[in-house]
Amino acid sequence: QVQLVESGGGLVQAGGSLRLSCAVPGSLSILVMAWYRQAPGKERELVAEISKYGNSNYADAVKGRFIISRDPAKSTVSLQMNSLKPEDTAVYYCNIKLIDTTVYWGQGTQVTVSS
């Protein structure tokens, strides 16, 4: 069973910053690493993703505020979240897609932004 271990969620005031991290097993052939989020009553949505080649993609709502990065040596993917807004409040999920198309999810970490 592949386990993704997330950390870094919490409560922050609007305008503040948080950094999420996700540790994954180092033996996997990962094609894409990503962060999704799901707010109450809404569908899960892609926040940001980064490929094994370093190409990144962001949701329009977070462009210019969030930065996704990966450290292959440590097998981690991080999400630096700046200028947080109350509408960023959600459970954030780490996601990886392997070269063989298998997908794994983390357990989720709560991010709450107060106004």
Side-chain angles (χ1 to χ4, degrees):
Q1 182 71 17
V2 173
Q3 188 172 9
L4 309 184
V5 181
E6 299 153 340
S7 60
L11 172 65
V12 65
Q13 288 188 333
S17 298
L18 282 176
R19 184 178 179 87
L20 305 182
S21 292
C22 176
V24 307
S27 60
L28 300 176
S29 298
I30 299 172
L31 181 61
V32 180
M33 306 177 84
W35 288 94
Y36 285 73
R37 68 185 181 187
Q38 187 167 18
K42 295 188 177 182
E43 294 186 353
R44 192 172 297 189
E45 62 178 1
L46 175 67
V47 176
E49 61 184 355
I50 186 167
S51 74
K52 62 177 291 186
Y53 308 107
N55 300 314
S56 58
N57 180 47
Y58 296 89
D60 288 343
V62 307
K63 281 181 181 176
R65 300 188 297 121
F66 291 10
I67 301 172
I68 190 170
S69 60
R70 60 193 296 260
D71 186 339
K74 297 181 179 179
S75 295
T76 60
V77 59
S78 298
L79 185 69
Q80 178 65 41
M81 305 185 293
N82 302 317
S83 303
L84 283 161
K85 305 175 181 180
E87 51 264 44
D88 294 319
T89 296
V91 178
Y92 284 70
Y93 296 90
C94 178
N95 167 281
I96 61 171
K97 181 177 181 179
L98 305 188
I99 290 176
D100 68 0
T101 73
T102 304
V103 174
Y104 294 102
W105 293 90
Q107 79 283 359
T109 185
Q110 177 70 47
V111 171
T112 302
V113 184
S114 63
S115 57

